[in-house]
Each structure stands twice: as C-alpha cells, then as structure tokens.
C-alpha cells in the first residue's frame, strides 16, 4: 500500500485479531485503513480537512476482548475528534482498495 509521497503522521495499531490499522495525513486530510469484516478486506476511511491523526487499541487485556476497540483520533479546526472502529461513521464513506 502506498500512502503517498506527501504523507505524514503515520500511526499503527493492531486489534484483538492482530489485524493492523494505519492512520496518516496527506493533502486530502486524515485517513485510516482498517480490516473491514463486512467486506472481508481492507478499507480506507477519509476525513477531509482533518489533521494530526493517531490510533490505538483501547483495551488489550484478554478478559475484556469483546469490549475492546480501535480508536482513531484527529484534529479538525481547533477541535479534537475520535471515532471507534465499531462506529457507523467508518461505514459512511469507505474506499475499497
């Protein structure tokens, strides 16, 4: 996968199934690439105009697997936003690649 020559702020996390999730910023905005179980493949989510993306797994303890989630953070304007992987927002505008 090529994130582009002008990409910056790369961040990597793994979910409980060890599927990788990657965020980066480029001229379009903040992006996240994740394993979409509904499509059985990787998808990319774009937040136009966003900057400074980051990603992490919120819960790594084995007894809490069902409640764990990958969190995607980004700045838009002067506000900090976050999305959970399970949010419908990730289904809003994925680009299959």
């Amino acid at each position: 996968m090529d994130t582009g020559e002008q990409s910056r702020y790369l961040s990597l996390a793994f979910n409980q199934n060890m599927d990788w999730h990657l965020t980066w910023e480029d001229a379009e905005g903040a992006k996240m690439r994740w394993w979409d179980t509904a499509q059985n493949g990787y998808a990319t989510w774009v937040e136009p105009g966003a900057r400074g993306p980051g990603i992490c797994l919120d819960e790594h303890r084995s007894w809490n697997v069902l409640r764990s989630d990958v969190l995607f953070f980004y700045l838009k304007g002067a506000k900090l936003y976050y999305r959970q992987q399970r949010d419908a927002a990730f289904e809003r505008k994925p680009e299959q690649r």
Side-chain angles (χ1 to χ4, degrees):
M1 181 188 78
D2 181 14
T3 59
E5 193 173 303
Q6 300 299 318
S7 297
R8 59 186 189 164
Y9 302 120
L10 256 50
S11 184
L12 175 70
F14 293 89
N15 66 12
Q16 294 284 2
N17 293 325
M18 291 305 293
D19 300 318
W20 56 266
H21 294 64
L22 180 69
T23 63
W24 69 96
E25 177 187 325
D26 64 17
E28 290 183 76
K31 296 183 178 181
M32 177 180 166
R33 189 151 174 87
W34 84 101
W35 181 258
D36 185 347
T37 55
Q39 296 181 27
N40 199 29
Y42 280 94
T44 303
W45 187 77
V46 180
E47 183 61 42
R51 59 189 172 81
I55 194 167
C56 67
L57 179 65
D58 69 343
E59 177 62 82
H60 63 277
R61 294 175 289 190
S62 61
W63 60 269
N64 208 13
V65 171
L66 296 176
R67 297 175 86 108
S68 70
D69 214 340
V70 174
L71 303 177
F72 173 41
F73 298 89
Y74 58 92
L75 297 168
K76 198 163 187 180
K79 295 182 180 179
L80 175 65
Y81 293 88
Y82 88 96
R83 298 283 187 258
Q84 300 174 119
Q85 181 186 5
R86 69 183 91 177
D87 284 346
F90 284 109
E91 301 299 325
R92 183 178 56 178
K93 48 187 170 185
E95 300 169 4
Q96 190 70 25
R97 296 190 188 187

